[in-house]
Amino acid sequence: MKLVETANTPLYHKHLSESEIINICKHLVEKNGIRSIERITGHHRDTIGRLLEDMAEHAERMNDYLIENLRLTPFECDEFWSFVKKNKRTLSPAAKISLKKVICGRTHA
């Protein structure tokens, strides 16, 4: 089982594979309930709830950083994330690696 590189992120010490985390997050984005996701994925609702809390905390910290340190407005943050999501498929391999590092919370190699 391949584990996600999570050192120094809110996902540190999660015992889920990258595909399991992605699958749970996709169900959360689709607004499925935690008990529904539990039935679909086979993961306990407490695990799903903790993952949800950790992901929300990570997103909040990232937006706070963008607003406080880069002086972006909340609207600009929303536009930034929409742009990143839309253009992720067209990035060069080097840019994808850099983006993955930032999304995982690592800013240096």
Side-chain angles (χ1 to χ4, degrees):
M1 173 170 75
K2 178 185 165 199
L3 295 178
V4 178
E5 173 75 31
T6 59
N8 300 314
T9 74
L11 301 178
Y12 188 61
H13 282 300
K14 294 288 186 245
H15 299 286
L16 299 170
S17 69
E18 180 176 6
S19 63
E20 291 170 319
I21 290 172
I22 290 169
N23 188 33
I24 291 169
C25 289
K26 284 181 179 181
H27 288 294
L28 289 167
V29 168
E30 292 296 323
K31 299 183 181 175
N32 287 307
I34 290 177
R35 289 181 187 267
S36 171
I37 297 169
E38 177 183 32
R39 287 189 299 274
I40 293 168
T41 65
H43 294 291
H44 194 273
R45 62 187 168 275
D46 292 343
T47 301
I48 296 164
R50 280 191 299 273
L51 178 64
L52 174 59
E53 289 172 2
D54 291 343
M55 295 298 287
E57 179 184 336
H58 182 69
E60 184 178 8
R61 279 201 234 158
M62 188 65 206
N63 274 346
D64 288 346
Y65 176 84
L66 293 172
I67 291 168
E68 292 170 16
N69 295 348
L70 300 182
R71 305 283 187 226
L72 297 180
T73 66
F75 178 76
E76 289 171 321
C77 287
D78 184 54
E79 289 296 313
F80 171 75
W81 291 120
S82 296
F83 176 81
V84 168
K85 182 178 179 183
K86 178 181 176 186
N87 291 294
K88 189 175 179 182
R89 287 174 259 142
T90 60
L91 295 174
S92 69
K96 285 181 183 179
I97 291 169
S98 295
L99 179 61
K100 187 173 184 177
K101 287 179 182 177
V102 171
I103 288 173
C104 290
R106 294 179 292 136
T107 55
H108 51 276

